[in-house]
Amino acid sequence: MTETRTAITINGIVKEFSAGSQMIRVLHGIDAEVRSGELTYLVGESGSGKTTMISIIAGILYPTDGSVSVFGQDIYSLSDNDLVRFRLSNIGFIFQQYNLIPTLTAAENASVPLVAAGMKRDEAVERGRDMLDKLNIADQADKLPRQLSGGQQQRVAIARALVHEPRLVVCDEPTAALDAKSGRRVMDLLREVALAPERTVIIVTHDNRIFDLADRILVMEDGRITHDGKEMPEH
Amino acid sequence: MTWIAIRMLTGDRQKFFGLLFGVAFSALLISQQLTIFVNLIERGATAVYNIPTANIWVMDPVSRTPDVALPMPSTALDKVRSVNGVEWASPMLRSGATVRTPEGDLEGVTVVGVDDATLIGLPKKFVNGSREALYEPDAVIIDSVGAAKLFPEGFDPIGVRLELNDRRAVIRGIVDVDPSFTSQVILYTRYSNALAFVPGTRNRMSFVLANASEGLTAKQVATRITEATGLKARTRDEFARDGVDFIIENTGIPVNFGITVALGFIVGVAIVGLTFSLFIRDNIKQFGALKAIGVTNNKIRMMVAAQALLVGLVGYGIGILLAAIFISSGASSSPDFKGFYTPWEIPLLTAAVVIAMILITGWLALRSVLKTEPAEVFR
């Protein structure tokens, strides 16, 4: 078991969206803490607010009220540009549909955060290639995404999320587009490569095939956290 | 990030070529049409510039161009010669006539009668024959474009007899001149012959060609001629400009070419704008992902700008190249395009139009990228 300590502190997060003249509240004052060195799942039905929650934690959606502290930094007190820089340095993203750039090779896709941070192309691509090697797909490094299977594309996405060694990795339904076997393999790999004492991994999912891999599960219902534990609650 | 932007664009070949086509088509249409327009209206000045020896043209006050001239009495020549500052003056007759070729074809021609003694008014550059040939009986010298129009390719028209307004005329030479606006065949002959070829009213002399004495400018002498004789005197450049202005003011050419150029711009904006929007829409998730990862809006702007710049540069280059090939191949293969050239202002103007097109379409495309919230990648 890896050593854990508080990495993310969520205080009274409220989020409202406007729908015409009405305001709809999707998060109702959420308080939570997420620890580093753990694989934390955010689980819930569609419309429970888990995607809104992960977006706010990742610094890409401003809350209506409340604060989020990531590794001691109140991220929504930062200016827009500083928040973008913070994300670039500290957060890795894994998307459900991978969102790889279709005209870049796997190694080039993996290198994108480094290029965005200003690293020279050759060096960044080389680092991307090393990351793919760690994820056991070095032989696919020069292929375009359309030449890869879904599982391989997700591994490229993981490489892109980890290449710049972020302290927080957020994943949105990483196994939703994969079959059971590929999904399991991707999750095993993610746990093996991403999990580290100084790193926090938060996964939004409703894929019950992978619940057993979680260190902690936060269940959301109607914009509130209704369960916090190592396993899913019994119904 | 520039190389990523370029790879994103060039990797989607269908849209990349669509964008290039849009820009190239516009650049081609605009530069080609403007080139034809400029060369066409400059044809209004060729009758003047084909005679480089005279720097002053004197005419009746109502005359407007070499082809729209009211004949003057022959005394006008003496009046002009008597003006202080005139080095020399010689008569010129320009009039329409019809010619029948040995094959029986009928063609409208312009007969130009030049001074019998000095042959001032005759173009200098000969393709075939010489100036002295004009002293032979019934001699006419035909312009090269007219010869190509009247006779089959490769045929040597020297010695061919024509029926010019019911009189015998013999072609004795070919001069190299730029064609006129109407591309009508021009037959040069001596003034005395021209009077016989083109019977008409009491007054026959269309112009007096003159030159300023040393130390005086053509403008100064032209002013003196007008003051002393009451005739209209124009410097060569002024009269050439009059010919161009006449075409602009009295034909629908500027409007028609203007419409074509505007259409080129509009179609270009439509094709490029639509294709660029499609490209951005197809990649909006990727742009959203980049924004989530931590690519700033400024870097996104640079990426879209790099894509627009690449499309603009390559498309413009292709369009201008195609226009140049069109113009040069036209100039070498068809007498109607003889002397056509592309003034440097046209590629510059086309570049400005392409820049405007790219700015408009790039801005429209960028708007949707900047409006994309990074959080949308999670939806």
Side-chain angles (χ1 to χ4, degrees), chain A residues 39-58 94-96 154 169-176 187 190 201-208 210-211 216-218 220, chain B residues 378-379:
Chain A
L39 206 57
T40 303
Y41 281 20
L42 207 51
V43 176
E45 297 295 320
S46 290
S48 61
K50 58 185 190 301
T51 298
T52 305
M53 191 65 220
I54 193 82
S55 299
I56 290 171
I57 292 171
I94 298 170
F95 308 105
Q96 182 179 342
Q154 193 58 294
V169 178
V170 292
C171 317
D172 179 39
E173 306 278 8
T175 58
M187 286 307 299
L190 188 62
V201 182
I202 303 176
I203 296 172
V204 168
T205 186
H206 59 260
D207 185 353
N208 54 15
I210 57 168
F211 285 168
R216 186 176 170 209
I217 297 176
L218 299 173
M220 289 190 71
Chain B
F378 279 149
R379 289 184 189 142

Side-chain angles (χ1 to χ4, degrees), chain B residues 217-377:
Chain B
T217 64
K219 182 68 186 166
Q220 287 171 325
V221 176
T223 307
R224 283 186 192 179
I225 291 170
T226 300
E227 285 169 355
T229 65
L231 296 169
K232 185 175 172 182
R234 305 287 280 163
T235 65
R236 185 169 54 218
D237 289 341
E238 286 172 345
F239 198 43
R241 181 70 218 178
D242 290 345
V244 172
D245 289 346
F246 185 83
I247 293 170
I248 292 172
E249 290 161 13
N250 293 279
T251 68
I253 290 173
V255 174
N256 284 326
F257 276 89
I259 289 170
T260 310
V261 169
L263 281 177
F265 177 71
I266 292 165
V267 171
V269 167
I271 295 175
V272 175
L274 198 66
T275 315
F276 217 170
S277 295
L278 281 175
F279 167 74
I280 294 293
R281 199 187 66 181
D282 285 357
N283 287 280
I284 203 76
K285 279 270 180 190
Q286 280 72 30
F287 277 114
L290 290 176
K291 288 176 81 167
I293 286 167
V295 177
T296 59
N297 273 345
N298 269 343
K299 279 187 180 162
I300 296 279
R301 281 190 195 96
M302 296 291 283
M303 289 176 76
V304 175
Q307 290 165 341
L309 191 68
L310 177 75
V311 166
L313 274 176
V314 178
Y316 170 78
I318 293 171
I320 289 291
L321 184 69
L322 290 176
I325 291 170
F326 176 88
I327 297 296
S328 63
S329 65
S332 60
S333 63
S334 166
D336 291 333
F337 289 98
K338 184 173 187 289
F340 266 36
Y341 72 106
T342 304
W344 61 267
E345 292 93 339
I346 288 177
L348 207 63
L349 187 68
T350 308
V353 173
V354 167
I355 289 169
M357 185 189 303
I358 290 299
L359 283 177
I360 292 169
T361 54
W363 176 73
L364 287 173
L366 189 62
R367 238 172 27 142
S368 58
V369 179
L370 295 181
K371 270 189 350 196
T372 302
E373 289 293 335
E376 284 177 28
V377 291

Side-chain angles (χ1 to χ4, degrees), chain A residues 76-143:
Chain A
Y76 291 107
S77 69
L78 295 170
S79 68
D80 285 353
N81 280 339
D82 286 342
L83 181 55
V84 171
R85 273 191 282 273
F86 183 85
R87 289 204 303 267
L88 184 58
S89 308
N90 295 287
I91 304 176
F93 290 85
I94 298 170
F95 308 105
Q96 182 179 342
Q97 294 301 328
Y98 327 130
N99 290 343
L100 300 173
I101 295 172
T103 52
L104 299 186
T105 65
E108 287 167 341
N109 263 296
S111 72
V112 164
L114 298 174
V115 176
M119 187 180 283
K120 282 185 179 170
R121 177 183 176 173
D122 291 345
E123 191 184 345
V125 174
E126 203 47 50
R127 291 263 300 269
R129 208 177 282 275
D130 292 344
M131 201 67 226
L132 291 175
D133 190 27
K134 282 185 190 167
L135 291 160
N136 303 322
I137 49 165
D139 55 333
Q140 310 294 321
D142 295 319
K143 288 186 177 168

Side-chain angles (χ1 to χ4, degrees), chain B residues 143-150 174-175 177-179 183 185 335-336 338:
Chain B
D143 73 296
S144 54
V145 177
K149 204 170 177 181
L150 276 186
I174 302 172
V175 282
V177 294
D178 287 335
S183 291
V185 178
D336 291 333
K338 184 173 187 289

